[in-house]
Amino acid sequence: MRLLRDNAAELPQPAGLELLAQGLEKSGDLAEAARTYQRIYHEYPTASEAGRAAAALSRLRQRLGGRYPPVKPDMRFTRVDKLLAAKDYERARSELQRMSETLTGAARDRARVWLGRVRYLRGQDATALKWLAALRVTSPEADAERLYYLLTSARRLGRTSEMLAALEQLTARYPRSPWRLEALVAVGNHYLLQNDVSRYEPIFRACADGFPESSQAAYCHWKVAWAAYLSRKPGAKALLEEHLRRFPASEKADAALYYLGRLAQFSGDPAAARAWFEELIREYPNHYYATLAESRLQAVELAAAAPSSEVKRFLEKIRFPPRSHAFDFQPTRTTQFRLGRARLLASAGLQSWAETELRFGARTDAQGPLLAMELARSAARGGEFGKSIRYIKGLAPGYLWMPFEAAPEEFWRLAYPLYYKEHLERFARLRDLDPYFLAALIRQESEFDAKAVSRAKAVGLTQVLPSTGRELARKLGLRRFAVSMLRHPEVNLNLGTYYFRKLVDSLEGHVEAALASYNAGQSRARMWLHWAEYREPAEYIETIPFSETRNYVTTVLRNAEIYRRLYAAERPAAVAARAEAGAPVGDGR
């Protein structure tokens, strides 16, 4: 039992908790056994152990009688929350119904509000709205939550006046409630998706200024700053600088540095532009905006300028989060010991044990990047290309913070492999696409796993849906198409590159929009093209309102640049020229 307690964080749970509870029960500590079974039942409701815990608790309740430890309401809400996360809505509803009948006070209010929440999560928006509008609770926290779900239900139904009325009530009654913060973000996003700057800008400003310490504040402030930049407002520079001062750990700090550099360029201040771009490259190596900054620094006027001392003084005061920008690739004795054990296990045919050895070493006492390389090599030799890439991502999670020259080339080639090179280059030429861009797309879509199948049932290297594959095969004259053909690299690349080329052409050559279309649909990607007068493709990308799609596009473009560094003798002059001119970088024409 001591081992199970001391190593709880390392053990698979709730299996470890179940063993501990059994030990406690056998040793006679029935009350502690009951508390442990309660943890299993409430914190892991969808696990098989939860069913056995329920039976054990029934047994212990009879044995303990009045000494049976009571279950606090928070534990019951934890169970419901886990059921909701698992989309087990009916069990969640049933438990909440019982809780609303047995609990009292604030806990009862919360259970009744959550009955509305269940309806909302099930997509029963009209029912949720009716329930929540009629519900009366006395607990301020429960009432704030009620108003939030009332607001989100109204938003999904398109009932804007009721959405705004709920926000007004939240602001008047509970101005400091975290539910008002969530409501501000929800309403701001509602107008963001409509590109209604005049409405979303004050809402996001209220979020950033009213909740400066919240995790959402940086997101809200960036929307204000970006709206000012894209509208070419005079205050944009001050807002971008404010973003860096207030939120140096923001995921948009690299974007703020880049666009401050661009503003300096537009105003004819190459010294300031150089300082902003150099800081971006130093602090965010391998990020999308850093690759753009490197291209900008090739401009003659920037190359000749000395970095602005004024900008440098400003940046000295910014406290970016401490990050490791280098790994030690010389193996320590401990790392050598782990590698030696793993190789012995692998040579005995115990490959899974070898993997466990290296994973444990990466978590505890050895050098993760070197152990990741060992596992990636082994997976690649076995043709498990996706697994090879995932080892690097999993065991060397900070690798993208390293400057390119800080790691051996083999490390980068394992992280960014170029499998199926012959087919890839052939179809890239045929469709007039950059082969490194295509490699980056495949890495993001399938990690070069030719048999990959997504949750949406898309198949293969470029993740082609069966229905799309059938249509494309007909257009290309491929007879007797079967879904299994999408798992063949040559067929998949033929169909995928043809489809992507068609997307690019239909979107007037905008590769960035074609990428957005690949992720979020063509109608949306086309609509976003008309949201503003963009001076460069990066502005279009930053304006994409869906974080998933925006990150997808920047990741593919960043990875394409890494592929060029790795596999091209030198960066093609045409690509560099297009980047400087602001043309779509991914287009091979």
Side-chain angles (χ1 to χ4, degrees), residues 219-252:
Y219 170 83
C220 293
H221 187 274
W222 177 252
K223 294 304 180 188
V224 175
W226 182 245
Y229 180 92
L230 202 60
S231 301
R232 319 306 176 199
K233 290 184 178 178
K237 179 176 182 290
L239 282 166
L240 292 171
E241 290 178 342
E242 182 186 3
H243 193 79
L244 290 173
R245 281 195 303 268
R246 288 180 59 184
F247 310 106
S250 163
E251 66 173 20
K252 290 301 175 184

Side-chain angles (χ1 to χ4, degrees), residues 225-428:
W226 182 245
Y229 180 92
L230 202 60
S231 301
R232 319 306 176 199
K233 290 184 178 178
K237 179 176 182 290
L239 282 166
L240 292 171
E241 290 178 342
E242 182 186 3
H243 193 79
L244 290 173
R245 281 195 303 268
R246 288 180 59 184
F247 310 106
S250 163
E251 66 173 20
K252 290 301 175 184
D254 59 339
L257 289 167
Y258 177 74
Y259 290 109
L260 281 164
R262 292 297 281 148
L263 285 176
Q265 278 190 293
F266 297 140
S267 65
D269 189 349
R274 184 174 187 88
W276 293 120
F277 290 149
E278 285 185 347
E279 182 72 7
L280 169 56
I281 294 165
R282 180 167 47 252
E283 194 65 40
Y284 296 92
N286 302 308
H287 280 222
Y288 167 68
Y289 282 113
T291 66
L292 295 185
E294 289 174 352
S295 294
R296 299 293 172 197
L297 285 173
Q298 304 308 309
V300 174
E301 65 274 13
L302 267 66
S308 164
S309 56
E310 181 183 350
V311 172
K312 289 174 74 173
R313 283 194 297 273
F314 172 88
L315 289 168
E316 285 171 0
K317 298 176 184 177
I318 305 301
R319 296 290 175 259
F320 294 109
R323 302 181 181 99
S324 177
H325 290 292
F327 292 134
D328 183 4
F329 284 88
Q330 291 298 317
T332 62
R333 290 186 65 181
T334 302
T335 297
Q336 290 174 334
F337 173 69
R338 294 287 179 200
L339 289 169
R341 283 171 60 94
R343 287 166 185 167
L344 279 172
L345 290 165
S347 70
L350 301 170
Q351 191 59 47
S352 64
W353 287 23
E355 178 179 346
T356 300
E357 177 72 30
L358 294 176
R359 283 186 176 279
F360 180 80
R363 286 199 312 274
T364 55
D365 56 9
Q367 295 154 286
L370 289 174
L371 304 188
M373 289 175 71
E374 179 79 5
L375 284 165
R377 288 188 203 103
S378 175
R381 283 194 298 268
E384 297 180 286
F385 301 139
K387 199 173 182 181
S388 174
I389 295 171
R390 288 192 293 276
Y391 282 134
I392 299 291
K393 291 179 179 179
L395 301 187
Y399 72 98
L400 283 171
W401 295 106
M402 286 190 299
F404 202 70
E405 62 277 5
E409 185 173 312
E410 185 196 8
F411 176 86
W412 292 112
R413 285 179 178 261
L414 286 168
Y416 291 86
L418 195 58
Y419 303 120
Y420 311 111
K421 184 178 179 182
E422 182 182 343
H423 296 317
L424 188 151
E425 290 182 341
R426 176 159 63 91
F427 288 112

Side-chain angles (χ1 to χ4, degrees), residues 557-574:
L557 294 176
R558 176 204 68 203
N559 289 351
E561 184 59 31
I562 293 176
Y563 271 105
R564 290 186 194 104
R565 292 180 189 176
L566 272 173
Y567 297 100
E570 58 183 21
R571 191 178 181 192

Side-chain angles (χ1 to χ4, degrees), residues 464-524:
V464 178
L465 286 168
S467 57
T468 304
R470 189 170 290 106
E471 179 184 346
L472 295 173
R474 188 165 53 250
K475 289 180 178 179
L476 287 170
L478 299 181
R479 298 180 178 179
R480 297 179 182 177
F481 174 80
V483 174
S484 60
M485 293 169 67
L486 294 174
R487 295 183 174 86
H488 295 287
E490 185 174 7
V491 174
N492 192 283
L493 284 168
N494 187 10
L495 299 177
T497 55
Y498 177 79
Y499 177 69
F500 193 81
R501 181 74 259 172
K502 288 294 183 185
L503 281 179
V504 173
D505 292 342
S506 69
L507 291 162
E508 294 81 43
H510 291 281
V511 171
E512 293 75 15
L515 272 176
S517 175
Y518 212 78
N519 181 264
Q522 191 169 347
S523 60
R524 286 175 176 147

Side-chain angles (χ1 to χ4, degrees), residues 199-227:
R199 288 184 180 274
Y200 75 65
E201 193 274 347
I203 291 170
F204 283 131
R205 188 180 291 276
C207 161
D209 294 343
F211 299 87
E213 304 302 320
S214 78
S215 59
Q216 301 269 38
Y219 170 83
C220 293
H221 187 274
W222 177 252
K223 294 304 180 188
V224 175
W226 182 245

Side-chain angles (χ1 to χ4, degrees), residues 3-322:
L3 282 170
L4 291 166
R5 285 194 179 103
D6 293 347
N7 297 282
E10 296 293 329
L11 292 171
Q13 299 294 4
L17 283 171
E18 185 176 44
L19 283 172
L20 178 59
Q22 290 168 350
L24 288 164
E25 186 176 0
K26 289 177 185 295
S27 67
D29 193 346
L30 302 187
E32 190 61 28
R35 279 188 281 269
T36 306
Y37 280 125
Q38 286 171 352
R39 278 194 61 193
I40 296 168
Y41 180 76
H42 291 93
E43 295 178 18
Y44 304 92
T46 61
S48 58
E49 289 87 350
R52 295 192 290 272
L57 288 169
S58 178
R59 179 176 65 247
L60 289 170
R61 188 180 288 106
Q62 292 182 350
R63 294 180 65 183
L64 286 166
R67 294 183 297 117
Y68 182 81
V71 177
K72 295 181 179 179
D74 281 351
M75 288 188 72
R76 299 181 71 178
F77 282 108
T78 294
R79 175 174 167 82
V80 172
D81 210 25
K82 295 293 178 74
L83 289 170
L84 292 174
K87 298 185 178 181
D88 192 344
Y89 298 127
E90 187 50 40
R91 270 209 294 171
R93 186 207 61 77
S94 178
E95 299 231 1
L96 285 169
Q97 188 62 48
R98 287 195 297 272
M99 290 163 67
S100 69
E101 294 166 359
T102 57
L103 296 176
T104 60
R108 178 176 179 267
D109 283 348
R110 188 183 183 193
R112 296 177 72 198
V113 170
W114 277 33
L115 282 168
R117 179 189 174 197
V118 172
R119 293 178 171 94
Y120 168 77
L121 292 175
R122 294 181 88 158
Q124 299 169 344
D125 302 314
T127 307
L129 186 66
K130 184 178 179 181
W131 169 267
L132 293 164
L135 186 62
R136 295 293 176 265
V137 292
T138 57
S139 162
E141 185 176 348
D143 193 40
E145 188 172 6
R146 177 189 72 85
L147 286 168
Y148 169 74
Y149 282 109
L150 181 69
L151 179 151
T152 52
S153 298
R155 177 192 171 188
R156 284 212 303 220
L157 289 166
R159 292 157 73 161
T160 306
S161 60
E162 291 174 69
M163 175 187 77
L164 293 176
L167 178 60
E168 187 177 339
Q169 290 181 62
L170 265 170
T171 301
R173 298 181 199 172
Y174 315 108
R176 302 299 305 155
S177 169
W179 292 110
R180 179 183 172 239
L181 166 63
E182 295 299 325
L184 286 168
V185 173
V187 176
N189 285 335
H190 172 78
Y191 289 117
L192 178 70
L193 293 176
Q194 298 175 10
N195 197 33
D196 192 339
V197 180
S198 64
R199 288 184 180 274
Y200 75 65
E201 193 274 347
I203 291 170
F204 283 131
R205 188 180 291 276
C207 161
D209 294 343
F211 299 87
E213 304 302 320
S214 78
S215 59
Q216 301 269 38
Y219 170 83
C220 293
H221 187 274
W222 177 252
K223 294 304 180 188
V224 175
W226 182 245
Y229 180 92
L230 202 60
S231 301
R232 319 306 176 199
K233 290 184 178 178
K237 179 176 182 290
L239 282 166
L240 292 171
E241 290 178 342
E242 182 186 3
H243 193 79
L244 290 173
R245 281 195 303 268
R246 288 180 59 184
F247 310 106
S250 163
E251 66 173 20
K252 290 301 175 184
D254 59 339
L257 289 167
Y258 177 74
Y259 290 109
L260 281 164
R262 292 297 281 148
L263 285 176
Q265 278 190 293
F266 297 140
S267 65
D269 189 349
R274 184 174 187 88
W276 293 120
F277 290 149
E278 285 185 347
E279 182 72 7
L280 169 56
I281 294 165
R282 180 167 47 252
E283 194 65 40
Y284 296 92
N286 302 308
H287 280 222
Y288 167 68
Y289 282 113
T291 66
L292 295 185
E294 289 174 352
S295 294
R296 299 293 172 197
L297 285 173
Q298 304 308 309
V300 174
E301 65 274 13
L302 267 66
S308 164
S309 56
E310 181 183 350
V311 172
K312 289 174 74 173
R313 283 194 297 273
F314 172 88
L315 289 168
E316 285 171 0
K317 298 176 184 177
I318 305 301
R319 296 290 175 259
F320 294 109

